[in-house]
Amino acid sequence: MAKIIPKKSISVESNWQKELATSFNDPQKLLKYLNIPVEEQIKNITARSLFPMRVPQHFANLMSKGDTQDPLFKQIFPLYDEFLEDPEYTVDPLLEQETPQQGILHKYQTRALLMVRGGCAVNCRYCFRRHFPYQQNSLNKQGWIEALDYIAQDSKLNEIIYSGGDPLMAKDDFLAWLTKEIEQIPHITRLRMHTRLPVVIPNRIDAQFVKWISQSRLKMIMVLHINHANEIDTKLISKLNLLRENQVTLLNQSVLLAGVNNTAESQIALSERLFEAGVMPYYLHMLDKVKGATHFDVNENQAREIMAEMIKRLPGFLVPKLVREIGGQPGKTPLDLHLHP
């Protein structure tokens, strides 16, 4: 393989990068934009010290002004409850931070996950990797060569997953290079991208992005992360249509979050809205027990009750799998749907 790492782009920033650069990082500025009294949120703002806040303008525009109970606002705004300690909630709930090959998570026999970029366009407060040591898993040129060799030497692998952080934080010239290198490994047939970036900045799906994905021999899958129907607007739908026109399979995974989407009505609305947008519901995750996110937890019986109502009111193809990820397990663990005493 050529393994010539592309040099940093010197081209003018694209629209999505400009939008990223103007994201809200200051909680007080976001509150003022949303017409929420700053003085009522001073205590909550202190939790910013635990995990920085980042919210693109587009995502902020989808929030209801003056409403601290808005389901999008609650996902991204710091809350004093993040200081609560619980021994079940740890900095590494999925046991990912010790990896045999830097930059690669190889938990599943036929799939390997590449930590393409450490940062995200939006910092979700429940993120299971909010304490992940991205700097230790950031690859230099030699690191990428070693990662590609690792993939090439394991013929059991047939799918590579781009993850992070958010892999679409990487520029398209790098993603195109990396994908071309992977294409040269005969046993890899699929490329999956796990991303939230198009949801919070739809302009990330631009002509340059579409160009490199449309030229690949690999089957392309994009797994979006959408938790609430209000996150899907006409601008996002137009970008998703562009991806589907270029044979990208679109799936969604969400997290069941207290106060955000833990009702049957919100989950049904999400599934219906996803289908309108050409996206198939894939997974509904129980919260990963990450330190700082105890207030988002939904107990398993409530999750089962929500699923029972979804099964009653939705066609089977619109019902996501209810799962929990357990560190060290070779795959997602489906929850049985029988109520427990």
Side-chain angles (χ1 to χ4, degrees), residues 221-285:
I221 304 108
M222 181 176 286
V223 182
L224 297 157
H225 179 175
I226 302 172
N227 292 320
H228 196 278
N230 292 359
E231 298 175 31
I232 305 172
D233 72 337
T234 54
K235 189 168 187 178
L236 175 60
I237 290 174
S238 69
K239 296 295 187 177
L240 298 180
N241 287 341
L242 187 59
L243 292 174
R244 289 192 296 118
E245 288 168 6
N246 284 277
Q247 287 71 55
V248 179
T249 298
L250 298 176
L251 305 173
N252 184 65
Q253 60 180 359
S254 56
V255 181
L256 191 59
L257 301 166
V260 173
N261 60 8
N262 60 321
T263 66
E265 286 71 23
S266 62
Q267 287 295 328
I268 290 166
L270 173 58
S271 284
E272 293 282 10
R273 186 66 171 153
L274 285 168
F275 191 68
E276 288 175 15
V279 183
M280 296 303 298
Y282 176 36
Y283 281 135
L284 175 58
H285 287 265

Side-chain angles (χ1 to χ4, degrees), residues 198-236:
V199 181
V200 299
I201 304 179
N203 283 331
R204 178 62 185 92
I205 308 303
D206 56 16
Q208 191 174 1
F209 180 84
V210 172
K211 181 180 179 181
W212 70 261
I213 63 166
S214 64
Q215 293 174 347
S216 178
R217 73 162 179 87
L218 301 171
K219 292 287 187 181
M220 291 282 176
I221 304 108
M222 181 176 286
V223 182
L224 297 157
H225 179 175
I226 302 172
N227 292 320
H228 196 278
N230 292 359
E231 298 175 31
I232 305 172
D233 72 337
T234 54
K235 189 168 187 178
L236 175 60

Side-chain angles (χ1 to χ4, degrees), residues 173-192:
D173 54 0
F174 175 78
L175 291 171
W177 168 82
L178 182 60
T179 302
K180 287 183 183 300
E181 293 298 318
I182 291 170
E183 285 173 7
Q184 295 181 51
I185 303 173
H187 52 264
I188 303 300
T189 60
R190 294 190 299 271
L191 176 63
R192 191 186 340 161

Side-chain angles (χ1 to χ4, degrees), residues 93-136:
L94 303 187
L95 307 179
E96 293 183 332
Q97 296 186 15
E98 296 296 329
T99 59
Q101 173 69 42
Q102 188 182 27
I104 294 181
L105 295 179
H106 190 178
K107 299 188 285 186
Y108 312 128
Q109 188 175 74
T110 60
R111 288 97 68 206
L113 183 151
L114 291 178
M115 305 294 287
V116 177
R117 281 293 181 273
C120 288
V122 63
N123 285 349
C124 303
R125 309 308 296 182
Y126 53 86
C127 179
F128 69 96
R129 290 188 183 138
R130 59 185 278 170
H131 307 288
F132 192 83
Y134 287 113
Q135 290 184 336
Q136 297 174 26

